[in-house]
Amino acid sequence: MKDIMTYKEYIGSIHYSTEDEVFFSKLEGIDDLVTFEGRSVDELKKAFIDAVDDYVSTCKRNNKEPLKTYKGTFNVRVSPQLHKKAAIKAIEEGVSLNQIVERALKAIV
Protein backbone atom coordinates (compact mmCIF):
# COMPACT_ATOMS: atom_id res chain seq x y z
CA MET A 1 0.00 0.00 0.00
CA LYS A 2 1.48 3.34 -0.91
CA ASP A 3 -1.17 5.72 0.37
CA ILE A 4 -0.07 5.65 4.00
CA MET A 5 1.34 7.91 6.68
CA THR A 6 3.57 6.83 9.53
CA TYR A 7 4.07 8.34 12.96
CA LYS A 8 5.90 6.58 15.77
CA GLU A 9 5.11 2.89 15.15
CA TYR A 10 1.68 3.59 13.66
CA ILE A 11 0.38 3.53 10.11
CA GLY A 12 -2.59 5.45 8.79
CA SER A 13 -4.17 4.44 5.49
CA ILE A 14 -5.18 7.42 3.34
CA HIS A 15 -8.32 7.69 1.23
CA TYR A 16 -10.22 10.55 -0.39
CA SER A 17 -13.98 11.04 -0.61
CA THR A 18 -14.92 13.10 -3.67
CA GLU A 19 -18.48 13.26 -2.39
CA ASP A 20 -17.48 14.82 0.94
CA GLU A 21 -14.30 16.47 -0.38
CA VAL A 22 -12.34 15.15 2.58
CA PHE A 23 -9.34 12.92 3.19
CA PHE A 24 -10.13 10.14 5.64
CA SER A 25 -8.02 7.52 7.30
CA LYS A 26 -7.83 4.88 9.98
CA LEU A 27 -5.06 3.48 12.12
CA GLU A 28 -3.84 0.14 10.82
CA GLY A 29 -2.25 -2.64 12.87
CA ILE A 30 -4.34 -2.15 15.99
CA ASP A 31 -7.24 -4.15 17.41
CA ASP A 32 -9.50 -1.09 17.73
CA LEU A 33 -11.11 1.21 15.18
CA VAL A 34 -9.58 4.70 15.19
CA THR A 35 -10.51 7.00 12.32
CA PHE A 36 -9.69 10.61 11.49
CA GLU A 37 -10.08 13.04 8.63
CA GLY A 38 -9.03 16.38 7.22
CA ARG A 39 -9.93 18.69 4.35
CA SER A 40 -6.25 19.23 3.46
CA VAL A 41 -3.08 17.20 3.69
CA ASP A 42 -1.91 19.35 6.60
CA GLU A 43 -5.22 18.85 8.44
CA LEU A 44 -5.02 15.10 7.85
CA LYS A 45 -1.43 14.91 9.13
CA LYS A 46 -2.36 16.84 12.29
CA ALA A 47 -5.44 14.67 12.83
CA PHE A 48 -3.28 11.55 12.39
CA ILE A 49 -0.74 12.67 14.99
CA ASP A 50 -3.53 13.67 17.39
CA ALA A 51 -5.31 10.32 16.84
CA VAL A 52 -2.15 8.31 17.54
CA ASP A 53 -1.25 10.32 20.64
CA ASP A 54 -4.82 10.08 21.96
CA TYR A 55 -5.00 6.34 21.25
CA VAL A 56 -1.69 5.64 22.97
CA SER A 57 -2.67 7.65 26.06
CA THR A 58 -6.10 5.97 26.21
CA CYS A 59 -4.47 2.54 26.02
CA LYS A 60 -1.99 3.51 28.73
CA ARG A 61 -4.83 4.68 31.03
CA ASN A 62 -6.63 1.37 30.45
CA ASN A 63 -3.52 -0.80 30.79
CA LYS A 64 -4.02 -2.07 27.26
CA GLU A 65 -1.36 -2.99 24.70
CA PRO A 66 -1.93 -0.49 21.87
CA LEU A 67 -0.33 -2.33 18.95
CA LYS A 68 -1.97 -5.44 17.55
CA THR A 69 -0.41 -8.68 18.69
CA TYR A 70 0.43 -11.22 16.03
CA LYS A 71 0.40 -14.96 16.69
CA GLY A 72 2.78 -15.84 13.89
CA THR A 73 0.26 -17.94 12.02
CA PHE A 74 -1.91 -17.04 9.05
CA ASN A 75 -3.51 -18.68 6.04
CA VAL A 76 -2.02 -18.12 2.60
CA ARG A 77 -4.06 -18.70 -0.53
CA VAL A 78 -2.12 -19.37 -3.72
CA SER A 79 -2.81 -21.10 -7.00
CA PRO A 80 -2.62 -24.90 -6.97
CA GLN A 81 0.34 -24.72 -9.35
CA LEU A 82 2.34 -22.44 -7.03
CA HIS A 83 1.39 -24.59 -4.04
CA LYS A 84 2.72 -27.67 -5.84
CA LYS A 85 5.99 -25.94 -6.83
CA ALA A 86 6.54 -24.68 -3.28
CA ALA A 87 5.80 -28.12 -1.80
CA ILE A 88 8.26 -29.77 -4.21
CA LYS A 89 10.90 -27.15 -3.36
CA ALA A 90 10.40 -27.85 0.35
CA ILE A 91 10.79 -31.60 -0.22
CA GLU A 92 13.92 -31.08 -2.31
CA GLU A 93 15.48 -28.92 0.40
CA GLY A 94 14.34 -31.10 3.27
CA VAL A 95 12.40 -28.33 4.97
CA SER A 96 8.73 -27.67 5.71
CA LEU A 97 6.43 -25.64 3.50
CA ASN A 98 6.20 -23.15 6.37
CA GLN A 99 9.96 -22.65 6.22
CA ILE A 100 9.75 -21.97 2.46
CA VAL A 101 7.05 -19.34 3.03
CA GLU A 102 9.00 -17.80 5.90
CA ARG A 103 12.11 -17.50 3.68
CA ALA A 104 10.08 -15.84 0.95
CA LEU A 105 8.59 -13.34 3.41
CA LYS A 106 12.00 -12.52 4.87
CA ALA A 107 13.27 -11.81 1.38
CA ILE A 108 10.70 -9.05 0.83
CA VAL A 109 10.40 -7.37 4.22
Side-chain angles (χ1 to χ4, degrees):
M1 176 184 282
K2 58 185 173 185
D3 296 329
I4 61 170
M5 299 181 287
T6 58
Y7 171 66
K8 297 184 179 175
E9 298 178 72
Y10 296 87
I11 297 172
S13 56
I14 303 169
H15 308 281
Y16 182 73
S17 169
T18 53
E19 183 179 322
D20 299 323
E21 295 184 340
V22 67
F23 292 101
F24 63 97
S25 183
K26 72 174 190 167
L27 293 184
E28 302 289 347
I30 62 173
D31 291 323
D32 300 297
L33 177 61
V34 176
T35 62
F36 51 96
E37 63 182 44
R39 294 214 171 267
S40 69
V41 172
D42 287 339
E43 273 187 29
L44 186 67
K45 285 180 181 178
K46 182 178 181 335
F48 174 49
I49 290 168
D50 291 346
V52 169
D53 290 342
D54 182 59
Y55 180 67
V56 170
S57 70
T58 299
C59 287
K60 191 176 283 189
R61 276 195 312 274
N62 293 316
N63 293 320
K64 179 182 178 180
E65 180 63 39
L67 289 174
K68 185 174 185 170
T69 56
Y70 293 91
K71 297 184 295 182
T73 61
F74 61 95
N75 292 324
V76 178
R77 289 175 180 79
V78 298
S79 71
Q81 297 83 7
L82 181 58
H83 187 176
K84 180 180 178 180
K85 287 179 182 179
I88 290 169
K89 182 73 168 168
I91 292 166
E92 290 172 348
E93 295 191 15
V95 298
S96 70
L97 188 55
N98 284 338
Q99 289 170 303
I100 294 291
V101 172
E102 184 174 9
R103 276 192 218 159
L105 288 172
K106 284 179 178 178
I108 65 166
V109 294

